[in-house]
Amino acid sequence: MKIEVRQMFRSNGLIDDLVLSAKSEDYLLFADAVGKAIGENESVLVISESEISIEIICDETKEELFTALQNKANDYFSMDDWNSRIILRVYGNAGILASFQRFLVKLAGRGPGYSYISEYSEDYSYSIFHLSGGFT
C-alpha cells in the first residue's frame, strides 16, 4: 500500500488530501491492524510502501474518525519540521475504528486502485478539522 499526500489550498487554510493506492489484500491488512488497535487498546503501526507510516490509536474520547499527518514528536518549529511529516495518525474510539475497519473491507471489495480516506465521510462521521491547518 502506498500513501500519497496532496496539499490543497482552501480559503480557510491548507489541508492534506490523503490517497491510498493498494491491492485488495493491502486494504484487508490495514483493516486487520485497525482491529488489533481496537482489541489491544494501544497504538498499532502500519508500514506502507511510501515514506508515510500509519499509526492507529484507539482513543475513547474521540467520537468521530480523526486523521492527522504529523512528524514523530508532533512539534513544528520550522518548515523543515512541517515538511517532515511522515506519520499518518488515525484516531477514534472503538466503535468509530470498527466502522473504519468495515470501510477498509468495503474498499478491498472494489479491488486494486486509489481511494481517498475522506470517502469514509460518505457513510460515517469524519472530523472536519485537519491538523494541517484548516477546515474542510
Side-chain angles (χ1 to χ4, degrees), residues 8 14 38 40 55 66 79 100 108 120:
M8 299 171 49
L14 175 68
I38 296 167
E40 295 181 5
E55 185 178 5
F66 185 83
M79 281 305 292
F100 186 59
Y120 175 85

Side-chain angles (χ1 to χ4, degrees), residues 24 27 103 105-112 114-116 119:
S24 295
Y27 289 119
F103 166 75
V105 170
K106 182 178 170 183
L107 289 180
R110 293 190 335 199
Y114 288 92
S115 300
Y116 294 83
E119 290 177 49

Side-chain angles (χ1 to χ4, degrees), residues 1-17:
M1 175 172 50
K2 294 181 183 177
I3 302 170
E4 295 178 24
V5 178
R6 299 178 184 158
Q7 294 181 339
M8 299 171 49
F9 294 92
R10 301 286 175 127
S11 59
N12 53 359
L14 175 68
I15 65 166
D16 294 315
D17 192 9

Side-chain angles (χ1 to χ4, degrees), residues 5-6 9 11 30 32 47 64 80 104 107 110 132 135:
V5 178
R6 299 178 184 158
F9 294 92
S11 59
F30 189 1
D32 287 345
I47 304 299
E64 58 189 355
D80 285 339
L104 292 169
L107 289 180
R110 293 190 335 199
S132 57
F135 290 87

